[in-house]
Amino acid sequence: MKCPKNMNNGPCGGVRKNDCCEILPDMRCIWINIWQEMKTDKVSASQVLKYQAPADHRLEDPSS
């Protein structure tokens, strides 16, 4: 499952009160699911960053 806004590092802030996506109202925000699973698995945010580093947006659409 993928975020419709291509948010790779966390929710966009457009999550509805019912935890659904603002773009696809019938789809639950994937980031809500991820954070809830982390809590049940007792995984800290710092551990996630080992596997998913923040995106470097300076590298998007390079000319070369």
Side-chain angles (χ1 to χ4, degrees):
M1 197 141 100
K2 188 174 179 182
C3 175
K5 288 186 168 182
N6 295 320
M7 301 300 288
N8 295 323
N9 300 318
C12 66
V15 180
R16 296 172 186 256
K17 288 184 180 183
N18 62 353
D19 294 339
C20 289
C21 174
E22 69 178 348
I23 302 296
L24 301 173
D26 294 332
M27 183 180 105
R28 190 154 190 245
C29 174
I30 63 164
W31 288 102
I32 298 291
N33 292 340
I34 290 168
W35 286 106
Q36 286 182 345
E37 287 178 27
M38 284 176 43
K39 285 166 58 177
T40 58
D41 293 341
K42 294 184 173 60
V43 176
S44 70
S46 62
Q47 288 175 303
V48 172
L49 291 177
K50 288 183 204 174
Y51 304 105
Q52 175 65 43
D56 186 350
H57 294 288
R58 296 174 297 170
L59 302 176
E60 285 182 18
D61 301 321
S63 60
S64 58

